[in-house]
Amino acid sequence: MTEWLDKITEHTGVSPTAEQAQILASDRRFILVAGGEQAGKSVVASMFLVEKHLELLADREAEEPVGIQDRGDRVRRESPPLYWLVGATYGETEREFRYLEEWFGALGMVVESTKGVDPGRIVLSDGTRIETKSGVDHRTLSKESPDGIIACEASQLDSTVFSRMRGRVTGRNGWLFLAGTFESSVGWYPQLFKSWQQGGPDRRSYSLPSWTNRTLYPGGRDDPQLAALQDDSTDDFFMERIAGQPVPPKGLVVPEIRPDVHVRDISHVPGLPVRIAIDPGYAGAYAVEALQYIDGREVVVDEIYERGLVTEEIIGMAQSRPWWPDVEGGVIDVAGYQHHSMPAPAEAWAEEGGVNLSASRVSINDGTQRLRSFLKIPAGDRGPKLLIASHCKGILSELGVTPNPFDGQTRPYRWKTDREGNIVGRVPEDRYNHAIKAVIYHLVDKYGYASRPREKTFRVKRFA
């Protein structure tokens, strides 16, 4: 790696800091950099792409001639490389685009470059393309398989975009470089940072504090400007926005969730049985989770997560979903059999939807333990027993992976805590948990509790 860094420095005059050089020396395919403000995230991300490209060209030149049987694979490998710069908007890709335009130009490799970045494209002398993509339109992240992707200000992207990027680089065994500043310490980005901190065969996360930018802060961590900023800001702000470290979330009920492991870009498999799990509501949320048993795992393939709608309207929405013909029953909150000046929700699902739903009284803490047991990652390569489709924003927001779909705020399912973050009471707050409860009902109904026999269940075959 040092050889390529020396070449880049020689031609561009840009020399990485010691902290940036450590990141650039990584041999992982998936890298996440949590940077403080003005720490040089765009610089290190752009330099990583240049370094990887020069290394790729050298590897191709060194390859031995291949036989006829291997020629097809080699042609695929040796098609001109493709790289993406992905941002929440095109504007977020501007810095990386300009750095790459300047540095590849200094290396004498640029033959074409657009003036704007919406979208933007750089073409190199060997046919390599570098293209900008917007996370606003997921359709731009399709069709082709890039050799590498830089996620610009990655913390502003949602988990669906992450899943798409992760999937697109698989086709060419490509790499993914995520760079961003923490917007908060709850969500898919800080969770990914924590899960990759210990490293792995193909992934690693790094922190790049603001004080590593010696040009801006000559005194490093002890620079007077930073000392003044720390005095004038909250500890959480300084940790997240300057030190590049997430503040441990306080009181999450389900801390096992990992966006890179449990969240996938998946959809329903036609013809495979679907069971629906329901937690009726009106002012909070009405959650309907559609689950299939796929390859030995429970998979939340879709959901309906709405507010201010009655059961009959939710049933109409469900009947329009592609998985509806495959529904073979389900489960509902036991309160779904109660009448509140109107037919019980379970009765409406049976009469109007033709779906018989079972129900049982589920202990909050025991039910939560059952869900957490399915999210647990066992030893080996078997993976967790529960996966969630990346477009299911309701349950992902309750797990703290995405913002709440109704107001865009971070509202995960939490325990009650005091001012110092200590858990208070023996049961969590009964808020922001509708989809989670629905999935718990399904797991307990099908598998029982994690540590003791399931409670008595009653099933309704038909209504008079």
Side-chain angles (χ1 to χ4, degrees):
M1 291 293 185
T2 303
E3 173 188 352
W4 310 120
L5 289 179
D6 290 343
K7 185 173 183 178
I8 296 170
T9 299
E10 176 187 350
H11 286 80
T12 67
V14 177
S15 180
T17 65
E19 294 82 3
Q20 292 172 343
Q22 180 187 6
I23 298 169
L24 294 169
S26 175
D27 59 355
R28 306 299 203 277
R29 285 181 59 207
F30 305 105
I31 293 178
L32 184 152
V33 175
E37 294 179 349
Q38 298 180 301
K41 302 180 300 295
S42 299
V43 170
V44 71
S46 304
M47 193 169 290
F48 186 85
L49 188 153
V50 176
E51 180 185 48
K52 283 291 186 182
H53 182 64
L54 295 179
E55 182 183 12
L56 176 62
L57 296 183
D59 288 346
R60 288 185 173 182
E61 290 178 1
E63 283 187 344
E64 295 292 333
V66 297
I68 294 176
Q69 293 181 347
D70 299 325
R71 196 165 294 159
D73 288 339
R74 180 165 180 174
V75 169
R76 179 182 62 81
R77 289 198 312 271
E78 294 195 350
S79 58
L82 170 65
Y83 304 106
W84 286 353
L85 308 179
V86 180
T89 64
Y90 283 114
E92 297 294 347
T93 68
E94 179 86 34
R95 286 188 178 182
E96 287 81 356
F97 187 87
R98 297 306 170 198
Y99 284 139
L100 294 170
E101 180 183 51
E102 177 185 348
W103 297 346
F104 276 121
L107 291 167
M109 300 176 67
V110 175
V111 296
E112 178 187 331
S113 180
T114 59
K115 291 184 178 180
V117 296
D118 55 347
R121 185 175 70 165
I122 299 171
V123 180
L124 305 183
S125 54
D126 60 354
T128 294
R129 287 176 292 145
I130 303 169
E131 300 177 345
T132 62
K133 302 287 182 179
S134 170
V136 173
D137 186 356
H138 298 167
R139 293 173 297 178
T140 66
L141 307 177
S142 61
K143 298 182 180 179
E144 297 181 285
S145 296
D147 294 89
I149 298 176
I150 293 178
C152 310
E153 288 299 340
S155 58
Q156 297 181 20
L157 299 169
D158 61 33
S159 61
T160 300
V161 175
F162 167 72
S163 296
R164 289 283 175 90
M165 294 188 298
R166 174 66 179 84
R168 295 319 303 173
V169 296
T170 301
R172 304 185 81 166
N173 197 35
W175 51 265
L176 174 60
F177 192 104
L178 306 157
T181 299
F182 292 128
E183 302 294 327
S184 74
S185 291
V186 176
W188 73 270
Y189 196 68
Q191 287 176 329
L192 205 63
F193 173 85
K194 289 182 291 183
S195 65
W196 288 8
Q197 264 195 309
Q198 301 305 315
D202 60 356
R203 61 199 64 193
R204 179 68 188 274
S205 65
Y206 298 87
S207 180
L208 193 66
S210 298
W211 56 78
T212 61
N213 184 344
R214 303 300 195 281
T215 301
L216 190 62
Y217 301 110
R221 176 64 180 84
D222 299 322
D223 193 275
Q225 294 184 69
L226 287 177
L229 178 60
Q230 188 168 11
D231 288 341
D232 292 338
S233 60
T234 64
D235 291 342
D236 287 1
F237 175 88
F238 192 85
M239 285 291 291
E240 292 171 352
R241 307 289 295 187
I242 304 300
Q245 291 286 345
V247 178
K250 299 177 177 66
L252 288 183
V253 177
V254 188
E256 288 82 5
I257 189 71
R258 282 182 50 179
D260 60 321
V261 173
H262 300 105
V263 184
R264 306 283 178 87
D265 187 17
I266 50 181
S267 57
H268 130 269
V269 179
L272 201 64
V274 171
R275 290 186 63 80
I276 55 176
I278 303 171
D279 185 62
Y282 187 82
Y286 199 124
V288 179
E289 306 300 306
L291 296 103
Q292 290 183 303
Y293 190 72
I294 304 173
D295 295 332
R297 294 184 175 91
E298 294 291 338
V299 183
V300 181
V301 295
D302 196 18
E303 73 173 1
I304 298 171
Y305 195 82
E306 296 291 338
R307 176 184 288 174
L309 299 181
V310 298
T311 296
E312 289 75 14
E313 293 171 309
I314 297 293
I315 292 173
M317 296 178 66
Q319 291 173 328
S320 69
R321 297 295 173 94
W323 43 261
W324 180 255
D326 296 321
V327 172
E328 295 186 357
V331 63
I332 194 170
D333 182 356
V334 68
Y337 280 98
Q338 298 176 1
H339 296 259
H340 298 283
S341 303
M342 63 180 67
E347 294 177 359
W349 280 97
E351 294 174 357
E352 298 189 24
V355 180
N356 293 320
L357 302 170
S358 63
S360 63
R361 295 190 182 280
V362 177
S363 163
I364 294 175
N365 291 339
D366 289 336
T368 300
Q369 288 300 317
R370 170 47 82 195
L371 172 61
R372 293 177 64 181
S373 74
F374 268 71
L375 293 172
K376 181 180 178 181
I377 303 171
D381 298 325
R382 290 176 294 165
K385 294 184 289 185
L386 176 67
L387 300 177
I388 303 171
S390 59
H391 64 274
C392 296
K393 302 301 185 185
I395 188 169
L396 291 178
S397 72
E398 294 177 358
L399 291 168
V401 176
T402 64
N404 184 281
F406 300 131
D407 61 14
Q409 301 300 307
T410 300
R411 302 190 187 279
Y413 185 28
R414 293 178 181 269
W415 291 91
K416 297 177 182 178
T417 58
D418 61 21
R419 288 182 299 176
E420 297 178 353
N422 300 309
I423 293 176
V424 176
R426 296 185 177 182
V427 295
E429 291 187 84
D430 191 24
R431 297 193 302 169
Y432 312 119
N433 58 357
H434 305 281
I436 285 177
K437 288 195 294 186
V439 172
I440 287 175
Y441 300 150
H442 167 77
L443 295 178
V444 172
D445 179 75
K446 186 173 180 179
Y447 300 97
Y449 288 112
S451 57
R452 60 188 179 87
R454 76 177 72 188
E455 297 185 7
K456 183 177 180 180
T457 300
F458 64 90
R459 300 177 184 275
V460 178
K461 298 298 184 183
R462 66 180 184 274
F463 293 94

